[in-house]
Amino acid sequence: MKITLESKVTELSGCGKKRSELLSLMGIENVGQLLRHFPRGYQNRGDVKALSDESVGETGAFILTVSGSAQTARISGGRTLTKCRAFDGDKSCTLVFFNRNYIKDVLVTGCTYRFWGKLIRGKTGYELSPSTIEPVTDNVKLREFIPLYPLRAGLTQKFISSLILSALDQIEPSEIRDALPESVREALDICTEYEAYRYIHDPSSTDMIEKGRFRFIAEELFSFACSVTMANEGRRNLIGKRIDPERSKFYDFTAALPFKLTAAQAKVISEIRKDMTSDSPMARLVSGDVGSGKTVCAMAAAFIAVRNGYQAAMMAPTEILALQHYKDFNEILGKLGIKCGYLSGSVTAAKRREILYGLESGEIKFVVGTHALISQGVKYNNLGLVITDEQHRFGVMQRAVLSQKAVSPHVLVMSATPIPRTLALILCGDLDISVIDELPPGRQPVDTLVIGEKHRKRMYGFIEKEILAGRQVYIVCPSVEAQEEEEEVPEEEFLRFDFDKNPERMPKLKSAIDYEKRLREDVFPQFKTAFLHGRMSGKEKDAVMSEFAAGRIDILVSTTVIEVGVNVPNATLMIVENAERFGMSQLHQLRGRVGRGSEKSYCILVSDSKTETAMKRLEIMKTVSDGYKIAKYDLELRGPGDFISLNSQNARQHGALNFRMAGLCTDTQMLEKAFREAVKLIKSDPMLEKEEHAELKKAVGTVTGLTAATLS
Ligand code: ADP
Ligand code: MG
């Protein structure tokens, strides 16, 4: 039977009904899905270690000859222990197996095997407890790199690996129609999809693995770059909603502000004004460090639009943030006679009707809200300006959908974190970029400490001191509820090539709900505590946030829902539990929640992780306060994944990017190159309608979570 990417896995030899059902639980039903089941790493069994003091403590391959027959003994707990002597060169060791009686039938005295395991020093000399055994013979060459696949109970590495190899042997390479056209492959210097599968699933060198991996990274980046370019294409040729600078009477706005604009803000606002008075619609990204005052720039843009007779809409990624913006905007713009509205999924039906009516009639001039703003029923009277706050959490498509609510509106995008320029270019397509490179006066730097569990008592003492001095404290935990048991991580160490972001055993996660309960009942019964997380309704969140802002809550235990934008100046202490779990830019955002008032503020990062990268990252947090520098490190150490915010529930629900590999790409040159090529290709085929781009169109859909129909 001819095997294609669409063939069911059961058509491959060696895969029966039972196993195919297990595979389907992992989302693998056809050959294409099987081939895209990538290893999370490899064992490099070609790198053979010698029995020696240097190898003690190391996990790896040992080629040993068995020198005596295996002996099995019963030990405590009804277990058995099988031992056997083996040697290489002039050293010998004891092979140790628990509950594997059959070993004595496997190992033959005088024969040589390749074992994989960790060498230790036992009571009587070297000991090795191998997890795999392969006979070494003259006629079969052993594989050097053994892929390790994500598994499910009932399936083995060996099974998956041989099934994939048999698929690769049975499928005609021409059956795999590459999503990347040849011209693009050439420009990006990458192999074909078929070759990449070979390289990834059956490599014989680390170079090969890299080459294969690179191919898929390139595919994702390129598809993404295409979607961005498609979303932006053509906009430059549109006629914008022309603004008359005279009509704005901008000094009214500056007079209504409680502070004087910084020079950087004034510069950015003048760039915005210039865009809005030009012939084509504005498409600008405002980037700036945490607390640099991006909001007021958005407000200025809204003011200008409204004074010229247009409506303005602003979309924020969370309800907390949307509400905060609503209050801020309403305070200033309301004073200037501009009617403001708020819309989210959780406003009452009556309120929603009222807002929708106000927007359609044009009575409401400025509206802020969550993604509810882009839902179907929302119609505008004369929308002229679309602002998205903390943009990367939305993705390009939401911006496109909101923009469709009007004919070529001006678009302003506020970035959440300082984004390295290269990345901004890619994530936000061909937006013009304004940078606020100055903080408002009087800001005190936040002191950052990194501590371990053993300092917890002292930390509680510090919390108490701050609260008694009248201040408030944030504590951020990585998860909402108690952690589910972590997926079993095999004991073997292996080459990771960054396939898996956090393969190390992590310290146990702190959960916001349990944590708050313990603080309230055991640690600080005298203080008022509360928790906040993404699964609470908008109303509940708002109630807690308002209480905290009003100073009626001393300690707010939260997940990262407070990460972006939240502004409570009286909070002076930010504690992040399991700090190793967070990206640096995320930690920087969290740290930015304090140091907003005149009091000295602190950020304590709690972590017991001992891995090198985690410690390096936390060390950087301690010494660097410039968000752009941190973002650059972050990109280098973790790739763009954190900027695209793959983990945010919100983002996932609303069509964020489905990067499997590119999120880990730390090669910014590659990012840029992919983007340049995408622009070229989209210029030649704006809607990807050409026959030779059919596969690419599918890939674009996969990476953006949208179907081809939505794109066109
Ligand atoms: P971000 O850039 O992180 O979004 P915000 O716009 O929320 O920052 O501003 C942070 C805080 O700084 C707010 O309380 C805001 O009122 C204040 N702020 C903004 N601009 C100025 C300024 N020019 N002078 C003083 N305070 C300012
Ligand atoms: Mg902000």
Side-chain angles (χ1 to χ4, degrees), residues 258-262 265 288-297 324-325 328 389-390 415-416 436 440-441 443 565 567 569 589 593 596:
F259 47 71
K260 192 170 167 300
L261 293 172
T262 64
Q265 285 168 327
D289 208 340
V290 184
S292 59
K294 292 182 283 287
T295 317
V296 76
C297 298
Q324 188 179 291
H325 282 322
D328 289 350
D389 190 25
E390 323 292 356
S415 101
I436 308 184
R443 289 278 158 78
N567 190 23
Q589 267 295 320
R593 296 313 107 217
R596 300 191 149 241

PDB file of all heavy atoms in Angstrom, residues 258-262 265 288-297 324-325 328 389-390 415-416 436 440-441 443 565 567 569 589 593 596, ligand 1:
ATOM      1  N   PRO A 258      -2.209  65.374  35.404  1.00  0.00           N
ATOM      2  CA  PRO A 258      -1.713  65.713  36.741  1.00  0.00           C
ATOM      3  C   PRO A 258      -0.184  65.844  36.784  1.00  0.00           C
ATOM      4  O   PRO A 258       0.373  66.141  37.832  1.00  0.00           O
ATOM      5  CB  PRO A 258      -2.173  64.523  37.596  1.00  0.00           C
ATOM      6  CG  PRO A 258      -2.286  63.389  36.642  1.00  0.00           C
ATOM      7  CD  PRO A 258      -2.647  63.975  35.319  1.00  0.00           C
ATOM      8  N   PHE A 259       0.477  65.598  35.671  1.00  0.00           N
ATOM      9  CA  PHE A 259       1.936  65.721  35.651  1.00  0.00           C
ATOM     10  C   PHE A 259       2.387  66.312  34.327  1.00  0.00           C
ATOM     11  O   PHE A 259       1.605  66.452  33.395  1.00  0.00           O
ATOM     12  CB  PHE A 259       2.597  64.362  35.877  1.00  0.00           C
ATOM     13  CG  PHE A 259       2.001  63.253  35.037  1.00  0.00           C
ATOM     14  CD1 PHE A 259       2.221  63.206  33.659  1.00  0.00           C
ATOM     15  CD2 PHE A 259       1.214  62.263  35.621  1.00  0.00           C
ATOM     16  CE1 PHE A 259       1.677  62.193  32.884  1.00  0.00           C
ATOM     17  CE2 PHE A 259       0.664  61.242  34.836  1.00  0.00           C
ATOM     18  CZ  PHE A 259       0.895  61.218  33.474  1.00  0.00           C
ATOM     19  N   LYS A 260       3.662  66.649  34.282  1.00  0.00           N
ATOM     20  CA  LYS A 260       4.212  67.193  33.052  1.00  0.00           C
ATOM     21  C   LYS A 260       4.779  66.027  32.254  1.00  0.00           C
ATOM     22  O   LYS A 260       5.404  65.132  32.805  1.00  0.00           O
ATOM     23  CB  LYS A 260       5.348  68.161  33.439  1.00  0.00           C
ATOM     24  CG  LYS A 260       5.844  69.029  32.331  1.00  0.00           C
ATOM     25  CD  LYS A 260       6.782  70.110  32.919  1.00  0.00           C
ATOM     26  CE  LYS A 260       7.585  70.827  31.844  1.00  0.00           C
ATOM     27  NZ  LYS A 260       8.443  69.996  31.041  1.00  0.00           N
ATOM     28  N   LEU A 261       4.541  66.030  30.945  1.00  0.00           N
ATOM     29  CA  LEU A 261       5.060  64.936  30.114  1.00  0.00           C
ATOM     30  C   LEU A 261       6.585  64.933  30.142  1.00  0.00           C
ATOM     31  O   LEU A 261       7.214  65.984  30.164  1.00  0.00           O
ATOM     32  CB  LEU A 261       4.597  65.103  28.668  1.00  0.00           C
ATOM     33  CG  LEU A 261       3.104  64.941  28.388  1.00  0.00           C
ATOM     34  CD1 LEU A 261       2.795  65.336  26.938  1.00  0.00           C
ATOM     35  CD2 LEU A 261       2.661  63.508  28.645  1.00  0.00           C
ATOM     36  N   THR A 262       7.173  63.745  30.147  1.00  0.00           N
ATOM     37  CA  THR A 262       8.625  63.689  30.003  1.00  0.00           C
ATOM     38  C   THR A 262       8.969  64.028  28.556  1.00  0.00           C
ATOM     39  O   THR A 262       8.112  63.952  27.666  1.00  0.00           O
ATOM     40  CB  THR A 262       9.182  62.286  30.313  1.00  0.00           C
ATOM     41  OG1 THR A 262       8.663  61.357  29.348  1.00  0.00           O
ATOM     42  CG2 THR A 262       8.805  61.826  31.710  1.00  0.00           C
ATOM     43  N   GLN A 265       8.138  61.170  26.315  1.00  0.00           N
ATOM     44  CA  GLN A 265       6.701  61.053  26.015  1.00  0.00           C
ATOM     45  C   GLN A 265       6.290  62.089  24.975  1.00  0.00           C
ATOM     46  O   GLN A 265       5.552  61.789  24.032  1.00  0.00           O
ATOM     47  CB  GLN A 265       5.870  61.234  27.285  1.00  0.00           C
ATOM     48  CG  GLN A 265       5.898  60.025  28.218  1.00  0.00           C
ATOM     49  CD  GLN A 265       5.318  60.353  29.588  1.00  0.00           C
ATOM     50  OE1 GLN A 265       5.448  61.488  30.082  1.00  0.00           O
ATOM     51  NE2 GLN A 265       4.712  59.364  30.216  1.00  0.00           N
ATOM     52  N   GLY A 288       8.475  50.774  25.522  1.00  0.00           N
ATOM     53  CA  GLY A 288       9.109  51.524  26.602  1.00  0.00           C
ATOM     54  C   GLY A 288       9.228  50.640  27.809  1.00  0.00           C
ATOM     55  O   GLY A 288       8.464  49.673  27.954  1.00  0.00           O
ATOM     56  N   ASP A 289      10.155  50.947  28.666  1.00  0.00           N
ATOM     57  CA  ASP A 289      10.355  50.114  29.840  1.00  0.00           C
ATOM     58  C   ASP A 289       9.130  50.199  30.758  1.00  0.00           C
ATOM     59  O   ASP A 289       8.301  51.107  30.623  1.00  0.00           O
ATOM     60  CB  ASP A 289      11.613  50.570  30.591  1.00  0.00           C
ATOM     61  CG  ASP A 289      12.251  49.408  31.347  1.00  0.00           C
ATOM     62  OD1 ASP A 289      11.564  48.401  31.599  1.00  0.00           O
ATOM     63  OD2 ASP A 289      13.435  49.512  31.696  1.00  0.00           O
ATOM     64  N   VAL A 290       9.048  49.245  31.655  1.00  0.00           N
ATOM     65  CA  VAL A 290       7.961  49.229  32.627  1.00  0.00           C
ATOM     66  C   VAL A 290       7.911  50.568  33.363  1.00  0.00           C
ATOM     67  O   VAL A 290       8.930  51.038  33.849  1.00  0.00           O
ATOM     68  CB  VAL A 290       8.215  48.114  33.663  1.00  0.00           C
ATOM     69  CG1 VAL A 290       7.060  48.010  34.631  1.00  0.00           C
ATOM     70  CG2 VAL A 290       8.471  46.806  32.979  1.00  0.00           C
ATOM     71  N   GLY A 291       6.743  51.161  33.414  1.00  0.00           N
ATOM     72  CA  GLY A 291       6.599  52.405  34.151  1.00  0.00           C
ATOM     73  C   GLY A 291       7.070  53.652  33.415  1.00  0.00           C
ATOM     74  O   GLY A 291       7.100  54.739  33.981  1.00  0.00           O
ATOM     75  N   SER A 292       7.416  53.504  32.136  1.00  0.00           N
ATOM     76  CA  SER A 292       7.917  54.681  31.411  1.00  0.00           C
ATOM     77  C   SER A 292       6.777  55.616  31.028  1.00  0.00           C
ATOM     78  O   SER A 292       7.003  56.740  30.590  1.00  0.00           O
ATOM     79  CB  SER A 292       8.697  54.249  30.172  1.00  0.00           C
ATOM     80  OG  SER A 292       7.879  53.479  29.321  1.00  0.00           O
ATOM     81  N   GLY A 293       5.545  55.165  31.210  1.00  0.00           N
ATOM     82  CA  GLY A 293       4.407  56.042  30.942  1.00  0.00           C
ATOM     83  C   GLY A 293       3.883  55.924  29.519  1.00  0.00           C
ATOM     84  O   GLY A 293       3.690  56.922  28.828  1.00  0.00           O
ATOM     85  N   LYS A 294       3.607  54.714  29.110  1.00  0.00           N
ATOM     86  CA  LYS A 294       3.103  54.496  27.756  1.00  0.00           C
ATOM     87  C   LYS A 294       1.624  54.887  27.655  1.00  0.00           C
ATOM     88  O   LYS A 294       1.174  55.382  26.636  1.00  0.00           O
ATOM     89  CB  LYS A 294       3.256  53.012  27.362  1.00  0.00           C
ATOM     90  CG  LYS A 294       4.714  52.600  27.198  1.00  0.00           C
ATOM     91  CD  LYS A 294       4.864  51.156  26.760  1.00  0.00           C
ATOM     92  CE  LYS A 294       4.652  50.157  27.874  1.00  0.00           C
ATOM     93  NZ  LYS A 294       5.747  50.077  28.850  1.00  0.00           N
ATOM     94  N   THR A 295       0.901  54.673  28.767  1.00  0.00           N
ATOM     95  CA  THR A 295      -0.541  54.881  28.720  1.00  0.00           C
ATOM     96  C   THR A 295      -0.916  56.292  28.276  1.00  0.00           C
ATOM     97  O   THR A 295      -1.837  56.485  27.491  1.00  0.00           O
ATOM     98  CB  THR A 295      -1.163  54.618  30.110  1.00  0.00           C
ATOM     99  OG1 THR A 295      -0.572  53.450  30.638  1.00  0.00           O
ATOM    100  CG2 THR A 295      -2.652  54.463  30.034  1.00  0.00           C
ATOM    101  N   VAL A 296      -0.176  57.260  28.786  1.00  0.00           N
ATOM    102  CA  VAL A 296      -0.548  58.638  28.494  1.00  0.00           C
ATOM    103  C   VAL A 296      -0.366  58.946  27.003  1.00  0.00           C
ATOM    104  O   VAL A 296      -1.071  59.782  26.437  1.00  0.00           O
ATOM    105  CB  VAL A 296       0.240  59.620  29.407  1.00  0.00           C
ATOM    106  CG1 VAL A 296       1.663  59.783  28.970  1.00  0.00           C
ATOM    107  CG2 VAL A 296      -0.471  60.956  29.491  1.00  0.00           C
ATOM    108  N   CYS A 297       0.547  58.229  26.351  1.00  0.00           N
ATOM    109  CA  CYS A 297       0.723  58.416  24.909  1.00  0.00           C
ATOM    110  C   CYS A 297      -0.512  57.907  24.165  1.00  0.00           C
ATOM    111  O   CYS A 297      -0.970  58.531  23.198  1.00  0.00           O
ATOM    112  CB  CYS A 297       1.966  57.675  24.411  1.00  0.00           C
ATOM    113  SG  CYS A 297       3.484  58.265  25.168  1.00  0.00           S
ATOM    114  N   GLN A 324      -8.541  49.161  34.695  1.00  0.00           N
ATOM    115  CA  GLN A 324      -7.629  50.205  35.163  1.00  0.00           C
ATOM    116  C   GLN A 324      -7.495  51.310  34.123  1.00  0.00           C
ATOM    117  O   GLN A 324      -7.532  52.496  34.434  1.00  0.00           O
ATOM    118  CB  GLN A 324      -6.272  49.568  35.449  1.00  0.00           C
ATOM    119  CG  GLN A 324      -5.313  50.520  36.114  1.00  0.00           C
ATOM    120  CD  GLN A 324      -3.996  49.799  36.371  1.00  0.00           C
ATOM    121  OE1 GLN A 324      -3.912  48.911  37.205  1.00  0.00           O
ATOM    122  NE2 GLN A 324      -2.989  50.167  35.618  1.00  0.00           N
ATOM    123  N   HIS A 325      -7.378  50.905  32.874  1.00  0.00           N
ATOM    124  CA  HIS A 325      -7.303  51.901  31.802  1.00  0.00           C
ATOM    125  C   HIS A 325      -8.582  52.716  31.755  1.00  0.00           C
ATOM    126  O   HIS A 325      -8.553  53.926  31.568  1.00  0.00           O
ATOM    127  CB  HIS A 325      -7.101  51.220  30.446  1.00  0.00           C
ATOM    128  CG  HIS A 325      -5.697  50.773  30.200  1.00  0.00           C
ATOM    129  ND1 HIS A 325      -4.594  51.494  30.600  1.00  0.00           N
ATOM    130  CD2 HIS A 325      -5.211  49.673  29.582  1.00  0.00           C
ATOM    131  CE1 HIS A 325      -3.496  50.850  30.234  1.00  0.00           C
ATOM    132  NE2 HIS A 325      -3.841  49.740  29.627  1.00  0.00           N
ATOM    133  N   ASP A 328      -8.415  55.314  34.411  1.00  0.00           N
ATOM    134  CA  ASP A 328      -7.423  56.353  34.082  1.00  0.00           C
ATOM    135  C   ASP A 328      -7.906  57.268  32.957  1.00  0.00           C
ATOM    136  O   ASP A 328      -7.818  58.494  33.045  1.00  0.00           O
ATOM    137  CB  ASP A 328      -6.097  55.708  33.645  1.00  0.00           C
ATOM    138  CG  ASP A 328      -5.374  55.056  34.812  1.00  0.00           C
ATOM    139  OD1 ASP A 328      -5.808  55.268  35.972  1.00  0.00           O
ATOM    140  OD2 ASP A 328      -4.397  54.322  34.576  1.00  0.00           O
ATOM    141  N   ASP A 389      -3.261  47.393  23.771  1.00  0.00           N
ATOM    142  CA  ASP A 389      -2.276  47.493  24.839  1.00  0.00           C
ATOM    143  C   ASP A 389      -1.633  46.132  25.046  1.00  0.00           C
ATOM    144  O   ASP A 389      -2.298  45.113  24.957  1.00  0.00           O
ATOM    145  CB  ASP A 389      -2.956  47.938  26.139  1.00  0.00           C
ATOM    146  CG  ASP A 389      -1.927  48.278  27.204  1.00  0.00           C
ATOM    147  OD1 ASP A 389      -0.781  48.619  26.853  1.00  0.00           O
ATOM    148  OD2 ASP A 389      -2.268  48.194  28.396  1.00  0.00           O
ATOM    149  N   GLU A 390      -0.376  46.157  25.377  1.00  0.00           N
ATOM    150  CA  GLU A 390       0.349  44.912  25.672  1.00  0.00           C
ATOM    151  C   GLU A 390       0.151  43.931  24.531  1.00  0.00           C
ATOM    152  O   GLU A 390      -0.249  42.809  24.693  1.00  0.00           O
ATOM    153  CB  GLU A 390      -0.136  44.312  27.002  1.00  0.00           C
ATOM    154  CG  GLU A 390      -0.475  45.334  28.070  1.00  0.00           C
ATOM    155  CD  GLU A 390       0.750  46.084  28.593  1.00  0.00           C
ATOM    156  OE1 GLU A 390       1.886  45.766  28.184  1.00  0.00           O
ATOM    157  OE2 GLU A 390       0.568  46.995  29.408  1.00  0.00           O
ATOM    158  N   SER A 415       3.461  48.137  23.547  1.00  0.00           N
ATOM    159  CA  SER A 415       4.081  46.857  23.890  1.00  0.00           C
ATOM    160  C   SER A 415       4.145  46.678  25.403  1.00  0.00           C
ATOM    161  O   SER A 415       4.333  47.636  26.145  1.00  0.00           O
ATOM    162  CB  SER A 415       5.469  46.757  23.269  1.00  0.00           C
ATOM    163  OG  SER A 415       6.446  47.027  24.222  1.00  0.00           O
ATOM    164  N   ALA A 416       3.974  45.455  25.854  1.00  0.00           N
ATOM    165  CA  ALA A 416       3.941  45.192  27.297  1.00  0.00           C
ATOM    166  C   ALA A 416       5.326  45.306  27.894  1.00  0.00           C
ATOM    167  O   ALA A 416       5.554  46.029  28.844  1.00  0.00           O
ATOM    168  CB  ALA A 416       3.406  43.801  27.558  1.00  0.00           C
ATOM    169  N   ILE A 436       9.982  55.001  24.210  1.00  0.00           N
ATOM    170  CA  ILE A 436      10.078  55.940  25.335  1.00  0.00           C
ATOM    171  C   ILE A 436      11.322  55.543  26.124  1.00  0.00           C
ATOM    172  O   ILE A 436      11.331  54.529  26.805  1.00  0.00           O
ATOM    173  CB  ILE A 436       8.836  55.852  26.248  1.00  0.00           C
ATOM    174  CG1 ILE A 436       7.562  55.984  25.427  1.00  0.00           C
ATOM    175  CG2 ILE A 436       8.890  56.932  27.318  1.00  0.00           C
ATOM    176  CD1 ILE A 436       6.304  56.005  26.261  1.00  0.00           C
ATOM    177  N   PRO A 440       9.682  58.648  34.087  1.00  0.00           N
ATOM    178  CA  PRO A 440       9.252  59.874  34.750  1.00  0.00           C
ATOM    179  C   PRO A 440      10.183  60.182  35.933  1.00  0.00           C
ATOM    180  O   PRO A 440      10.759  59.251  36.505  1.00  0.00           O
ATOM    181  CB  PRO A 440       7.843  59.556  35.236  1.00  0.00           C
ATOM    182  CG  PRO A 440       7.356  58.482  34.342  1.00  0.00           C
ATOM    183  CD  PRO A 440       8.576  57.689  33.971  1.00  0.00           C
ATOM    184  N   PRO A 441      10.329  61.451  36.277  1.00  0.00           N
ATOM    185  CA  PRO A 441      11.281  61.821  37.331  1.00  0.00           C
ATOM    186  C   PRO A 441      10.896  61.231  38.687  1.00  0.00           C
ATOM    187  O   PRO A 441       9.739  60.923  38.944  1.00  0.00           O
ATOM    188  CB  PRO A 441      11.202  63.342  37.346  1.00  0.00           C
ATOM    189  CG  PRO A 441       9.908  63.690  36.702  1.00  0.00           C
ATOM    190  CD  PRO A 441       9.641  62.598  35.715  1.00  0.00           C
ATOM    191  N   ARG A 443      11.691  58.401  40.161  1.00  0.00           N
ATOM    192  CA  ARG A 443      11.570  56.953  40.360  1.00  0.00           C
ATOM    193  C   ARG A 443      12.804  56.432  41.085  1.00  0.00           C
ATOM    194  O   ARG A 443      13.916  56.758  40.739  1.00  0.00           O
ATOM    195  CB  ARG A 443      11.469  56.211  39.007  1.00  0.00           C
ATOM    196  CG  ARG A 443      10.184  56.423  38.299  1.00  0.00           C
ATOM    197  CD  ARG A 443       9.090  55.496  38.848  1.00  0.00           C
ATOM    198  NE  ARG A 443       7.783  56.049  38.531  1.00  0.00           N
ATOM    199  CZ  ARG A 443       7.222  55.956  37.352  1.00  0.00           C
ATOM    200  NH1 ARG A 443       7.823  55.315  36.387  1.00  0.00           N
ATOM    201  NH2 ARG A 443       6.057  56.494  37.137  1.00  0.00           N
ATOM    202  N   GLY A 565       0.996  45.816  33.573  1.00  0.00           N
ATOM    203  CA  GLY A 565       0.354  47.100  33.723  1.00  0.00           C
ATOM    204  C   GLY A 565      -0.211  47.539  35.060  1.00  0.00           C
ATOM    205  O   GLY A 565      -0.397  48.727  35.283  1.00  0.00           O
ATOM    206  N   ASN A 567      -1.166  49.035  38.489  1.00  0.00           N
ATOM    207  CA  ASN A 567      -0.533  50.206  39.083  1.00  0.00           C
ATOM    208  C   ASN A 567      -1.095  50.526  40.477  1.00  0.00           C
ATOM    209  O   ASN A 567      -2.150  51.116  40.600  1.00  0.00           O
ATOM    210  CB  ASN A 567      -0.771  51.392  38.124  1.00  0.00           C
ATOM    211  CG  ASN A 567       0.052  52.594  38.509  1.00  0.00           C
ATOM    212  OD1 ASN A 567       1.085  52.480  39.172  1.00  0.00           O
ATOM    213  ND2 ASN A 567      -0.410  53.769  38.101  1.00  0.00           N
ATOM    214  N   PRO A 569       0.616  52.348  43.626  1.00  0.00           N
ATOM    215  CA  PRO A 569       1.872  52.938  44.098  1.00  0.00           C
ATOM    216  C   PRO A 569       2.253  52.609  45.551  1.00  0.00           C
ATOM    217  O   PRO A 569       3.436  52.631  45.886  1.00  0.00           O
ATOM    218  CB  PRO A 569       1.632  54.443  43.942  1.00  0.00           C
ATOM    219  CG  PRO A 569       0.545  54.553  42.936  1.00  0.00           C
ATOM    220  CD  PRO A 569      -0.313  53.327  43.093  1.00  0.00           C
ATOM    221  N   GLN A 589       8.685  42.611  34.426  1.00  0.00           N
ATOM    222  CA  GLN A 589       7.322  43.134  34.480  1.00  0.00           C
ATOM    223  C   GLN A 589       6.772  43.081  35.898  1.00  0.00           C
ATOM    224  O   GLN A 589       6.192  44.039  36.389  1.00  0.00           O
ATOM    225  CB  GLN A 589       6.405  42.273  33.611  1.00  0.00           C
ATOM    226  CG  GLN A 589       6.212  42.742  32.189  1.00  0.00           C
ATOM    227  CD  GLN A 589       5.500  44.065  32.138  1.00  0.00           C
ATOM    228  OE1 GLN A 589       4.566  44.316  32.901  1.00  0.00           O
ATOM    229  NE2 GLN A 589       5.945  44.932  31.260  1.00  0.00           N
ATOM    230  N   ARG A 593       5.774  46.235  39.110  1.00  0.00           N
ATOM    231  CA  ARG A 593       4.561  46.548  39.868  1.00  0.00           C
ATOM    232  C   ARG A 593       4.884  47.331  41.132  1.00  0.00           C
ATOM    233  O   ARG A 593       3.990  47.928  41.734  1.00  0.00           O
ATOM    234  CB  ARG A 593       3.806  45.271  40.276  1.00  0.00           C
ATOM    235  CG  ARG A 593       3.245  44.400  39.175  1.00  0.00           C
ATOM    236  CD  ARG A 593       2.508  45.166  38.137  1.00  0.00           C
ATOM    237  NE  ARG A 593       3.307  45.217  36.920  1.00  0.00           N
ATOM    238  CZ  ARG A 593       3.379  46.260  36.122  1.00  0.00           C
ATOM    239  NH1 ARG A 593       2.721  47.350  36.364  1.00  0.00           N
ATOM    240  NH2 ARG A 593       4.129  46.226  35.044  1.00  0.00           N
ATOM    241  N   ARG A 596       6.582  52.298  42.242  1.00  0.00           N
ATOM    242  CA  ARG A 596       5.738  53.222  41.485  1.00  0.00           C
ATOM    243  C   ARG A 596       5.381  54.450  42.319  1.00  0.00           C
ATOM    244  O   ARG A 596       4.765  55.384  41.830  1.00  0.00           O
ATOM    245  CB  ARG A 596       4.468  52.521  41.033  1.00  0.00           C
ATOM    246  CG  ARG A 596       4.792  51.360  40.151  1.00  0.00           C
ATOM    247  CD  ARG A 596       3.590  50.793  39.458  1.00  0.00           C
ATOM    248  NE  ARG A 596       4.028  50.265  38.181  1.00  0.00           N
ATOM    249  CZ  ARG A 596       3.600  50.698  36.999  1.00  0.00           C
ATOM    250  NH1 ARG A 596       2.688  51.627  36.924  1.00  0.00           N
ATOM    251  NH2 ARG A 596       4.075  50.186  35.893  1.00  0.00           N
TER     252      ARG A 596
HETATM  253  P1  ADP B   1       3.726  51.775  31.499  1.00  0.00           P
HETATM  254  O1  ADP B   1       4.641  52.388  30.502  1.00  0.00           O
HETATM  255  O2  ADP B   1       4.379  50.689  32.281  1.00  0.00           O
HETATM  256  O3  ADP B   1       2.415  51.356  30.905  1.00  0.00           O
HETATM  257  P2  ADP B   1       2.105  53.710  32.868  1.00  0.00           P
HETATM  258  O4  ADP B   1       1.631  54.386  31.655  1.00  0.00           O
HETATM  259  O5  ADP B   1       1.159  52.801  33.566  1.00  0.00           O
HETATM  260  O6  ADP B   1       3.443  52.923  32.556  1.00  0.00           O
HETATM  261  O7  ADP B   1       2.647  54.810  33.874  1.00  0.00           O
HETATM  262  C1  ADP B   1       3.197  54.447  35.108  1.00  0.00           C
HETATM  263  C2  ADP B   1       2.904  55.500  36.141  1.00  0.00           C
HETATM  264  O8  ADP B   1       3.635  56.667  35.864  1.00  0.00           O
HETATM  265  C3  ADP B   1       1.448  55.912  36.215  1.00  0.00           C
HETATM  266  O9  ADP B   1       1.087  56.041  37.551  1.00  0.00           O
HETATM  267  C4  ADP B   1       1.428  57.245  35.514  1.00  0.00           C
HETATM  268  O10 ADP B   1       0.409  58.057  36.009  1.00  0.00           O
HETATM  269  C5  ADP B   1       2.782  57.808  35.867  1.00  0.00           C
HETATM  270  N1  ADP B   1       3.331  58.747  34.889  1.00  0.00           N
HETATM  271  C6  ADP B   1       3.283  58.620  33.559  1.00  0.00           C
HETATM  272  N2  ADP B   1       3.898  59.656  32.956  1.00  0.00           N
HETATM  273  C7  ADP B   1       4.346  60.463  33.949  1.00  0.00           C
HETATM  274  C8  ADP B   1       5.058  61.705  33.971  1.00  0.00           C
HETATM  275  N3  ADP B   1       5.437  62.321  32.854  1.00  0.00           N
HETATM  276  N4  ADP B   1       5.337  62.230  35.173  1.00  0.00           N
HETATM  277  C9  ADP B   1       4.975  61.603  36.312  1.00  0.00           C
HETATM  278  N5  ADP B   1       4.287  60.449  36.361  1.00  0.00           N
HETATM  279  C10 ADP B   1       3.974  59.872  35.191  1.00  0.00           C
END
